[in-house]
Amino acid sequence: MALSEKNITCVPRHIAIIMDGNGRWAKKRGLPRTAGHAAGAEAFRRIANHCRARGVKYLTVYAFSTENWKRSEDEISGIMRLLGKYLEEALQDMEQNRVRFCFFGDLSRLSPKLRQMCLAAQSRSADYDVQVNFCLNYGGRLEIVQAARQFARDVQEGKRSPEELSEELFSSYLYSADVPDPELIIRPSGELRTSNFLLWQSAYSEYVFMNVLWPDFGPGDLDAAIEEYQRRNRRFGGA
Ligand code: FPP
């Protein structure tokens, strides 16, 4: 399905995606789970390109959660390898693609090499204006706890007072400090959960749940999600 001419200008500024269903996609084909993640990484490339073509300014993807460490060592190292390969290519093509990279999550648990690549990609792309946020070792509750901890430290050091804390100020302590909240959050794979993703930032987001597994997710599915978002009447608690 293509986006109609009429709606081409009402695309969300920020789309966030829970890239779910890689494991089931692989299982259906009798392949190892890592093959599902490799196909998921390809789907990410396709969708990142399509988001750019549609004029989306921010794309946030859930690549690895704080809970994903419970998976087998094999699967974890497979996902980390895919991320490393992607970042290596992205660092090479940086001038051409002009995408700004940002990482939401606690990078300290990643390997020093991968962490280094994340930081290099982030600093080398800081001036570009279409932005991809990778949630890596990310958890929404942990993000809020860490922000609260940092605010408390600032109060202790006399830089802040409890009275000045507002929603806006608290937002500035989150990984997403300079990023507008996502208007649209997409979860493919048929699961109907938020799974600790962008808990603070999703307060007024529209959720679109879809039955397609992430590796099968294509540009037509993204357009369908955007059209569903455009059909919703966003009132932000007003009448
Ligand atoms: C969830 O599906 C997916 C993940 C935990 C990993 C997502 C990682 C990638 C798509 C690769 C990252 C690389 C780049 C370049 C973005 P699942 O494994 O939980 O699926 P299941 O619910 O079917 O088991």
Side-chain angles (χ1 to χ4, degrees):
M1 189 199 300
L3 270 191
S4 64
E5 280 298 316
K6 179 165 78 70
N7 287 339
I8 211 103
T9 53
C10 308
V11 294
R13 186 165 45 153
H14 182 177
I15 296 181
I17 304 179
I18 301 176
M19 302 187 292
D20 195 16
N22 298 346
R24 276 163 285 165
W25 182 93
K27 192 170 177 198
K28 263 179 32 186
R29 288 164 177 75
L31 296 168
R33 295 180 61 83
T34 318
H37 296 311
E42 284 313 310
F44 163 75
R45 287 172 197 272
R46 271 197 311 273
I47 294 307
N49 284 333
H50 194 60
C51 279
R52 196 215 297 254
R54 286 286 178 242
V56 174
K57 291 282 176 230
Y58 301 87
L59 170 65
T60 301
V61 288
Y62 211 174
F64 197 87
S65 76
T66 44
E67 288 75 34
N68 287 150
W69 296 107
K70 290 183 212 145
R71 298 190 176 201
S72 75
E73 237 173 79
D74 221 37
E75 182 171 351
I76 294 172
S77 63
I79 294 174
M80 296 300 163
R81 228 184 355 261
L82 284 164
L83 282 163
K85 185 168 162 261
Y86 177 79
L87 286 175
E88 200 174 304
E89 287 164 15
L91 279 163
Q92 276 165 15
D93 298 341
M94 198 133 260
E95 303 295 318
Q96 203 185 327
N97 290 332
R98 305 183 69 77
V99 171
R100 182 170 179 187
F101 285 86
C102 203
F103 297 88
F104 294 180
D106 179 3
L107 302 187
S108 69
R109 208 170 153 182
L110 305 184
S111 74
K113 187 172 176 216
L114 190 57
R115 191 166 59 244
Q116 216 31 58
M117 288 169 94
C118 292
L119 298 178
Q122 193 159 285
S123 69
R124 282 184 45 196
S125 65
D127 294 334
Y128 302 146
D129 53 5
V130 174
Q131 180 165 333
V132 176
N133 305 308
F134 289 95
C135 295
L136 258 187
N137 192 22
Y138 173 87
R141 286 185 173 179
L142 184 62
E143 177 182 31
I144 292 169
V145 166
Q146 285 178 340
R149 207 180 277 147
Q150 187 53 48
F151 181 75
R153 269 192 222 111
D154 285 354
V155 170
Q156 230 170 16
E157 291 169 15
K159 294 183 199 155
R160 295 278 182 202
S161 72
E163 292 68 35
E164 71 180 302
L165 187 60
S166 60
E167 292 181 13
E168 200 182 17
L169 180 60
F170 191 75
S171 295
S172 74
Y173 281 82
L174 300 172
Y175 294 120
S176 55
D178 302 319
V179 177
D181 290 342
E183 292 92 346
L184 168 63
I185 300 183
I186 303 171
R187 181 165 195 159
S189 97
E191 304 290 354
L192 305 177
R193 287 186 293 278
T194 60
S195 297
N196 208 8
F197 186 48
L198 303 179
L199 294 182
W200 174 276
Q201 300 85 343
S202 62
Y204 286 103
S205 303
E206 293 292 334
Y207 277 92
V208 173
F209 296 98
M210 300 174 84
N211 257 326
V212 52
L213 299 173
W214 174 247
D216 291 328
F217 199 93
D221 297 304
L222 187 85
D223 286 350
I226 294 176
E227 294 212 319
E228 169 65 31
Y229 160 82
Q230 289 168 335
R231 278 194 291 273
R232 306 228 181 129
N233 180 8
R234 303 182 79 216
R235 289 191 301 275
F236 298 98

